[in-house]
């Protein structure tokens, strides 16, 4: 379909600014998105910081551009621009917005990606690089002279190249221009490394393999991982000039004895916790923690079971209502048959383990039994669903059973009460090696492989409050995709593997919303 281009000039929208001594600045907004984004809309509006500054009639054509003049960089130095498509009754049918950007003293082009809420659509560009199983980390751009603030962007890379070698490349996906930007990074090439992003903008790269092993089964250990095994990425900066230049600062932290791949990590306060994974002997039960500014690891009591393909989830209730050293961490799945399925690490005053789910009884395969082991599943912290004691609940979804079958069931865990209960969610398509995330009130399950080992071409959407099914929508087939959310407004799904072929498509999910 050949998209029509519409242009309209709104110079002088801000009369007060036009009369002031401050130079008026103009912006050109390129509105992009799927061809059907504005279908059903009769009006498009442009807002700055939730204040409407322009509107025009639309006829459903995409993409189009618009120019806005009279912006005041002094009195309105920062703001979020949003585009809404409204139907004749005023209902929202299309939406898109920028991160918080600075009103610069020069003309600028800004792209706003608009789509229908509750949909999963492809970005106007792809990754520009083919990588299998990339690490994906979320960064908040660091403010400073010459840099923007409040811009959340994914950084991705490493993994395996199409030639079968471990990659040492990192890239940033610019959410303002919807472009992939190569980053200067002098770290090690890594395959099946684990990335951990922290709220303070520090990210860690842990472990991995220096070479991609030949196919030999998921429990076999390839050549030993590489030292050093921990690197920190301390800053990501987005330069103002044309919203295009990123810079990265990385620091190598040599921590001995961490020769592992496929670990699970979480962050609590100043500590990073590392659980399980595989070393040269196979799956391990090791539990280690280290501080952001201290390269000396602390070995904690090992888990009750060696684990790989497990999940690690920190209880946010404990973090917010008690001292950090009183937090609880749930480890689920990935154990060998007959071992404890789930364990809870209580870090106060000294770390101690407790088993909270035992192996399922005979005949429980395929049932949502609390003690049903699984691996390559997902664990999600539900944003608002609580028990009578106001304790957080985790949702354990999908994965592989001990016999290799792919599961579609789910269970709920209440860590503070050390118990499980059956969840109402049964996936429409059982899947493993998938991604899951919550955004506003939406719970989204995307990608993975089905019972036949084929990549799943759908995403399932549920209400994160009630766990009620909402919709099943088309998605790019991919296993082990990377996902990160951008400021509560959208999610980016990238990378992954489709039957041995790296997936380059980037998909954007926008949550359901009324306005």
């Amino acid at each position: 379909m050949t998209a029509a281009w519409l242009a309209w000039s709104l110079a002088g929208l801000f009369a007060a600014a036009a009369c002031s001594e401050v130079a008026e600045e103009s912006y050109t907004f390129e509105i992009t998105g799927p061809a059907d984004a504005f279908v059903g809309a009769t009006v498009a509006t442009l807002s700055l910081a939730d204040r409407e500054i322009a509107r025009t009639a639309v006829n459903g054509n995409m993409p189009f551009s618009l120019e806005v003049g009279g912006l005041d960089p002094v009195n309105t130095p920062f703001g979020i621009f949003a585009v809404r498509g409204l139907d004749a009754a005023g209902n929202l049918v299309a939406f898109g917005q920028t991160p918080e950007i600075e009103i610069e003293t020069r003309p600028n082009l800004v792209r706003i990606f608009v789509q229908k809420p509750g949909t999963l659509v492809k970005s106007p560009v792809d990754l520009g690089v083919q990588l299998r199983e990339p690490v994906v980390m979320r960064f908040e751009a660091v403010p400073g002279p010459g840099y923007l603030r409040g811009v959340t962007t994914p950084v991705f890379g490493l993994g395996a190249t199409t030639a079968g070698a471990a990659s040492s490349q990192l890239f940033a996906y610019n959410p303002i221009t919807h472009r992939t930007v190569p980053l200067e990074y002098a770290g090690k090439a890594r395959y099946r490394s684990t990335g951990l992003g922290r709220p303070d903008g520090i990210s860690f790269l842990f472990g991995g393999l220096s070479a991609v092993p030949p196919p030999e089964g998921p429990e076999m250990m390839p050549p030993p991982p590489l030292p050093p095994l921990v690197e920190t990425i301390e800053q990501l900066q987005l330069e103002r000039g044309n919203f295009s230049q990123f810079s990265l600062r990385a620091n190598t932290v040599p921590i001995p004895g961490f020769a592992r791949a496929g670990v699970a990590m979480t962050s609590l306060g100043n500590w990073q916790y590392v659980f399980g994974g595989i070393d040269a002997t196979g799956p391990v039960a090791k539990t280690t923690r280290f501080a952001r500014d201290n390269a000396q690891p602390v070995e904690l009591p090992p888990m009750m079971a060696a684990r790989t393909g497990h999940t690690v989830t920190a209880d946010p209730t404990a973090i917010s209502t008690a001292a950090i050293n009183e937090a609880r961490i749930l480890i689920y799945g990935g154990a060998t048959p007959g071992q404890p399925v789930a364990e809870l690490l209580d870090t106060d005053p000294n770390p101690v383990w407790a088993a909270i789910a035992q192996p399922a009884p005979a005949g429980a395969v395929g049932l949502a039994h609390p003690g049903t082991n699984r691996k390559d599943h997902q664990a999600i912290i539900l944003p608002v669903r609580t028990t009578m004691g106001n304790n957080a609940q985790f949702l354990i979804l999908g994965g592989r059973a001990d016999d290799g079958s792919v599961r579609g069931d789910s269970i709920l865990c209440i860590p503070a009460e050390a118990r499980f209960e059956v969840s109402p969610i049964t996936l429409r398509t059982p899947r493993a090696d998938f991604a899951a995330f919550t955004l506003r009130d939406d719970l989204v399950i995307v990608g993975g492989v089905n019972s036949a080992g084929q990549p799943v071409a759908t995403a399932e959407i549920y209400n994160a409050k009630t766990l009620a099914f909402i919709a099943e929508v088309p998605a790019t087939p991919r296993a082990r995709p990377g996902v990160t959310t951008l400021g509560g407004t959208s999610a980016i799904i990238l990378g992954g593997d489709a039957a041995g072929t790296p997936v380059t498509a980037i998909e954007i999910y926008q949550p359901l919303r009324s306005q």
Side-chain angles (χ1 to χ4, degrees), residues 127-448:
L127 291 181
V129 61
Q130 290 186 316
L131 293 174
R132 288 171 46 209
E133 299 186 36
V135 173
V136 180
M137 298 165 287
R138 178 185 176 202
F139 279 86
E140 189 84 11
V142 178
Y147 295 94
L148 295 178
R149 70 176 187 183
V151 178
T152 305
T153 185
V155 168
F156 66 94
L158 310 179
T161 67
T162 53
S167 173
S168 61
Q169 293 180 291
L170 285 179
F171 304 84
Y173 180 76
N174 188 329
I176 298 177
T177 61
H178 293 284
R179 294 288 184 266
T180 295
V181 182
L183 298 173
E184 293 185 5
Y185 170 67
K188 300 292 184 179
R190 298 166 181 265
Y191 178 65
R192 293 197 173 170
S193 181
T194 302
L196 173 67
R198 293 167 48 94
D200 58 8
I202 308 298
S203 284
F204 289 84
L205 291 169
F206 188 95
L209 306 170
S210 57
V212 179
E216 52 185 358
E219 305 303 329
M220 301 296 292
M221 180 60 186
L226 67 157
L229 290 156
V230 178
E231 294 176 280
T232 63
I233 300 176
E234 298 186 359
Q235 287 188 0
L236 180 77
Q237 295 180 312
L238 172 59
E239 295 181 5
R240 291 180 193 162
N242 296 322
F243 307 124
S244 61
Q245 299 301 315
F246 282 83
S247 65
L248 185 74
R249 189 177 78 188
N251 180 41
T252 299
V253 182
I255 300 182
F258 277 15
R260 278 181 268 168
V263 302
M265 298 179 67
T266 192
S267 178
L268 289 173
N270 195 44
W271 290 104
Q272 282 60 244
Y273 289 79
V274 183
F275 302 92
I278 303 177
D279 67 10
T281 67
V284 300
K286 292 180 180 179
T287 301
T288 312
R289 72 180 180 186
F290 60 94
R292 163 185 159 185
D293 53 0
N294 184 348
Q296 295 304 312
V298 177
E299 293 294 334
L300 303 181
M303 296 181 291
M304 297 178 182
R307 300 178 188 272
T308 179
H310 53 302
T311 53
V312 171
T313 320
D315 184 353
T317 307
I319 297 171
S320 61
T321 60
I324 289 296
N325 64 354
E326 297 176 356
R328 296 175 291 266
I329 303 173
L330 173 70
I331 317 296
Y332 196 96
T336 56
Q339 297 296 309
V341 171
E343 302 179 57
L344 193 64
L345 178 64
D346 189 341
T347 60
D348 175 47
N350 297 310
V352 59
W353 288 100
I356 58 173
Q358 297 302 318
V365 174
L367 301 179
H369 186 278
T372 301
N373 193 34
R374 65 189 73 204
K375 63 181 180 180
D376 305 325
H377 56 281
Q378 286 291 331
I380 297 294
I381 302 173
L382 297 177
V384 294
R385 186 181 173 92
T386 59
T387 63
M388 292 182 63
N390 202 38
N391 295 315
Q393 290 193 5
F394 299 166
L395 180 66
I396 313 296
L397 284 161
R400 291 185 174 90
D402 289 336
D403 63 0
S405 61
V406 176
R407 308 190 66 93
D409 61 338
S410 64
I411 60 174
L412 291 168
C413 174
I414 301 91
E417 301 171 16
R419 69 178 179 87
F420 290 87
E421 62 184 51
V422 174
S423 161
I425 290 181
T426 298
L427 297 177
R428 263 56 180 177
T429 303
R431 59 186 82 199
D433 293 328
F434 59 99
F437 60 91
T438 58
L439 197 59
R440 292 199 171 195
D441 291 340
D442 295 359
L443 165 65
V444 182
I445 293 94
V446 60

Side-chain angles (χ1 to χ4, degrees), residues 65-84:
S65 62
L66 55 95
E67 183 179 332
V68 176
L71 299 183
D72 183 350
V74 175
N75 297 318
T76 313
F78 290 92
I80 296 173
F81 292 94
V83 171
R84 292 173 172 84

